[in-house]
Amino acid sequence: MGFNDYSSTTFTATKWLGFVTAVWVQAISGNNYTFSNYSDALKSLMNLTQLELNNLSVAKDVGKAFGLLAGIASDLLPTPVILLIGSVEGLIGYGTQWLVVSERIRPLPYWQMCIFLCLGGNSTTWMNTAVLVTCIRNFRRNRGPVSGILKGYVGLSTAIFTDVCNALFSNDPSSFLLMLALVPFAVCLNAIFFLREVPPSATASEEKEESRYFTIFNTVAVVISIYLLGYEFVPSPSRVFSLAFAVILLVLLASPLAVPVYAFIRTWSSQKNESGLDVEGQIDEPLLKQEETQQQEGEVVAVAPQTTEEVPVLQEKKRRPVIGEEHTIFEAILTVDFWLLFLSFLCGVGTGLAVMNNMGQIGLALGYVDVSMFVSLTSIWGFFGRIISGTVSEYFIKKSGTPRPLCNAASQILMTVGYILMALALPGSLYIGSIVVGICYGVRLAVTVPTASELFGLKYYGLLYNILILNLPLGSFLFSGLLAGFLYDAEATPTPGGGNTCVGAHCYRLVFIIMAIACVIGFGLDVLLSIRTKDIYRKIHSSRRGRSRKSASPSNGQ
């Protein structure tokens, strides 16, 4: 799409500038996880029971079910259009909630509020689809780090919004919602100009260069997360201190711009000695064709050309591809592996989302007046879970062909321990539980994204990703709307004027026990998926080792 017109220097700078704007979009697209910051204001303003409030949060997550539209659109529309749709939806959805909470308009009927929360929730699916699909296609040989970095910033976004609102507006729910409406809209308008698909790296040296740059992005992200974490422990910061915190945070978020600037200068200086046609020579190659012959799933494709004379009819019949090849959506959902991935994902993200949606009430039940710290802890440690798991899972694939789903299995066990701790309600257990749930929820998101692309291909990845994301509204409905809502109301005491309240460890104990059991089931599913896909990852490992040794023979890597 016009890439041939680019000089090598402009091409390189644009590629990395697009990734920087993708990082910014992800840093503001976790607004869907911030419900606990203003849920109490909605509950008191609209006189809701906990079940009604939880169903509002489910409506927000149901917005993600309509992410299927974003997935279909990702194969038909350019990235800027998808970003624009998401930003406008968010402006309307969160803008209306701001009007209600700020009491500029009277509370809308319950069903109308559900629609606007659904709109706000759906907006993030367009942003996430645009960013993830584009970047994983652009950097397909570094899928783990790309997923970890981008999903890591989604995790940080809750803390970014929470801490900036705390610093500037004393954690006012009305100001918080105004930020959720305006900031993502402005950032997406900026990304529209720079984020688009470009040809992926074509040589081993370019792949190594990408890895070095991703190390820089990881380092900056870790610095930001530690900076946010440090702010949580500052007791009663002054107005001047808070303003300084917000300014430095913005500078840190802008600092990744150094990567495209450096890439531009480096490429420009090397152009004096090189023709720079290395990348452009690959441009006419279809995105996935190139991937099939060189990438990790090369095992089946490498064999196909040799048997073309015998296969024509067979290939029509055997059009159900092997795991690791390109799948259509219907072919993917007919596989056992897809449902193992889908259901294990439900056990992890569904239970994690229930905790995040109910964090306000969980904290109040355990005697905490201000729960914003727990929201931020979940967000920040969710970042660590995403960014570390993306890089570590990639490392072990390259090193020994370890199946990526094993990372998910480990996270499910840790999550089980976290829920048991919260069920026991020991002193400090909510702090530990917030951290554990954040880490494990982050691992699930960061690891499942590249796993799906490795098992079922990139051709229909936008739609496939959004089918997996159906687990968010489904999990929210099952674990938050039904389980947590009903069990909390069964323990709660009605309050005058409508609504109810519950104080004590018993309010959520049974909820945590049931979610711990769900995580044990998820662990079993992940282990089974790891066993079923170990040959795929062994071949991915062999393919990458052969590539790094510049060996053209796929049989070398066993």
Side-chain angles (χ1 to χ4, degrees), residues 537-548:
Y537 283 98
R538 192 179 298 127
K539 288 172 183 174
I540 292 174
H541 167 62
S542 299
S543 145
R544 291 186 179 180
R545 280 189 69 181
R547 208 172 173 281
S548 65

Side-chain angles (χ1 to χ4, degrees), residues 6 16 24 86 91 114 120 130 137 141 147 159 213 230 257 314 353 368 373 404 427 452 467 469 499 518:
Y6 282 23
W16 287 106
W24 290 343
L91 183 65
C114 286
R137 285 175 176 169
R141 292 192 182 91
S147 173
Y213 289 154
L257 278 172
L314 267 171
L353 202 55
Y368 296 96
M373 173 178 275
R404 215 186 284 267
I467 289 176
I469 291 301

